Amino acid sequence: DAGITQSPRHKVTETGTPVTLRCHQTENHRYMYWYRQDPGHGLRLIHYSYGVKDTDKGEVSDGYSVSRSKTEDFLLTLESATSSQTSVYFCAISEGASGRRTDETQYFGPGTRLLVL
Amino acid sequence: AQSVTQLDSQVPVFEEAPVELRCNYSSSVSVYLFWYVQYPNQGLQLLLKYLSGSTLVKGINGFEAEFNKSQTSFHLRKPSVHISDTAEYFCAVSEFNTDKLIFGTGTRLQVFP
């Protein structure tokens, strides 16, 4: 199994509070991703990173920010959580060896279940 | 715009029966195609992928998929399923000239004894 951990694994928070989710990898992979999984929507990309301090938006980035200060860590922050951000959040990584990420296998973490009340 | 359609949200099947999970995509350019599986309370893992070459792709756990360019499909098949195949299966597509991987909404395969 790819060495990907996510913390916390479960979190309950209140509307309007900031929340930070952490993804940690031990594979030294270049690309890291944050997805959210919701019933009827599959997985949707929030943000991704292609290197330290290099990030870009996905299709559902509103209300989320990310940071990557080290190769192994990718943080997802909900600046002011809303009930619509209740979801399961998955981190994924890919090697980035080809310089083009879309033909590579992505390896997923175990997920974080977030409930915003 | 690129999109992925998994026509069946749920597929119930008895153990040892064959199964086909359908995936269609819309794209005007060449694509890469993937199937991922998600077991209960876990992250996704790759079953198989098509990048180029033979249109019949074999993956882990006895699964295979066939790329059909004219029908823009990438259906997943297994000739004989096991209880342990109970999971959610996601088809995903990416285009050569974009930086996006688009997932379908998933198909829940339920295998009954």
Side-chain angles (χ1 to χ4, degrees), chain B residues 44-62:
Chain B
L44 281 71
Q45 63 184 86
L46 183 74
L47 267 181
L48 49 81
K49 64 181 177 181
Y50 171 79
L51 302 183
S52 64
S54 172
T55 57
L56 183 63
V57 181
K58 293 189 183 297
I60 62 171
N61 301 338

Side-chain angles (χ1 to χ4, degrees), chain A residues 57-102:
Chain A
K57 295 179 180 180
E59 62 178 309
V60 290
S61 59
D62 287 348
Y64 301 95
S65 63
V66 290
S67 66
R68 191 171 179 195
S69 59
K70 298 185 289 185
T71 298
E72 57 266 35
D73 290 326
F74 192 33
L75 304 181
L76 176 71
T77 298
L78 290 65
E79 302 289 349
S80 177
T82 67
S83 58
S84 64
Q85 293 176 311
T86 291
S87 186
V88 181
Y89 291 85
F90 286 99
C91 174
I93 64 175
S94 65
E95 189 173 0
S98 68
R100 181 184 60 209
R101 66 182 184 91
T102 54

Side-chain angles (χ1 to χ4, degrees), chain A residues 30 48-56 66-71 73-74:
Chain A
R30 178 182 174 193
Y48 69 98
S49 169
Y50 47 95
V52 173
K53 298 191 189 310
D54 293 323
T55 65
D56 205 350
V66 290
S67 66
R68 191 171 179 195
S69 59
K70 298 185 289 185
T71 298
D73 290 326
F74 192 33

Side-chain angles (χ1 to χ4, degrees), chain A residues 37 48 100-102 106, chain B residues 32 36 38 46 49 94 99:
Chain A
Q37 183 179 25
Y48 69 98
R100 181 184 60 209
R101 66 182 184 91
T102 54
Q106 293 189 17
Chain B
Y32 303 119
Y36 283 85
Q38 183 180 30
L46 183 74
K49 64 181 177 181
S94 66
D99 210 20

